[in-house]
Amino acid sequence: PFPDEATLPLLSDKQDLVLFTFKRLLAMWEAEIRAHLQDEMSKKVGNPNYKREISKLKQEAATYKQTSSYLKPFFKSLRKRSTPKDILDHMLNIVTCMKEKEYLLAEDVYLQMSIGNSPWPIGVTMVGIHERSAREKISSNQIAHVLNDETQRKYIQSVKRLMSYCQKCFPTNPSKMMG
């Protein structure tokens, strides 16, 4: 799903690289589901686990469909070059880590992007009468993007699904894999 040396020059910038990688992963996932479904349909006769297997495939297909639809606004913002810079940088880091099969590092970047590292629990920034001196320490890179709006939350969570799928397709050393 990652661009090879011949394709890389055709991808003019960060947005294209992220879009290319995630679209390829989605296409691979869809092809895998279709192949498994056809395989199960051909084994229908005499298979006592047929209904269970079909049920699992339908669940995976539903997850794929939801992931695909949740990523559409993200893909649109990438094509329009309107993705926020900090989210784009995180996504590019995730793609780079996945390409190098450094899934633990990709998960760290994902967690940084999704929940941030704000020093206070959500909503508890003004607990006293006076503003605390540490108040200035909260900056935009410490605030979780997953809380910004529903659309961002959905596509950021969908990226995690793609990360898991990529790890399943391209396994590596267990010490570099997500749990």
Side-chain angles (χ1 to χ4, degrees), residues 90 94 103-113 163:
H90 284 302
I94 287 172
Y103 301 115
L104 268 182
L105 291 176
E107 186 177 42
D108 287 345
V109 174
Y110 167 80
L111 288 172
Q112 182 68 35
M113 175 177 57
M163 289 166 55

Side-chain angles (χ1 to χ4, degrees), residues 55-172:
S55 177
K56 281 176 26 182
L57 281 172
K58 284 183 179 180
Q59 180 66 38
E60 187 174 351
T63 302
Y64 162 80
K65 188 173 182 180
Q66 183 183 54
T67 301
S68 179
S69 69
Y70 283 178
L71 282 168
K72 283 181 182 174
F74 177 57
F75 292 160
K76 186 175 180 181
S77 74
L78 286 170
R79 281 191 296 273
K80 287 184 168 185
R81 307 294 194 249
S82 62
T83 308
K85 184 187 179 329
D86 49 349
I87 290 181
L88 180 61
D89 290 342
H90 284 302
M91 293 292 191
L92 188 63
N93 285 341
I94 287 172
V95 166
T96 304
C97 290
M98 288 182 348
K99 182 179 181 182
E100 296 168 1
K101 296 184 180 181
E102 294 283 350
Y103 301 115
L104 268 182
L105 291 176
E107 186 177 42
D108 287 345
V109 174
Y110 167 80
L111 288 172
Q112 182 68 35
M113 175 177 57
S114 63
I115 62 175
N117 61 356
S118 182
W120 290 279
I122 298 169
V124 185
T125 59
M126 300 293 282
V127 290
I129 297 172
H130 304 290
E131 187 172 327
R132 304 286 187 240
S133 62
R135 176 86 172 120
E136 300 86 47
K137 290 183 181 175
I138 300 178
S139 62
S140 64
N141 66 346
Q142 292 178 316
I143 297 171
H145 291 287
V146 83
L147 304 175
N148 285 354
D149 64 37
E150 194 68 12
T151 305
Q152 279 186 344
R153 181 190 66 78
K154 288 177 179 179
Y155 72 67
I156 288 173
Q157 286 179 340
S158 294
V159 166
K160 177 68 166 113
R161 288 180 181 165
L162 284 179
M163 289 166 55
S164 297
Y165 176 74
C166 183
Q167 177 178 287
K168 185 179 96 174
C169 291
F170 307 103
T172 186

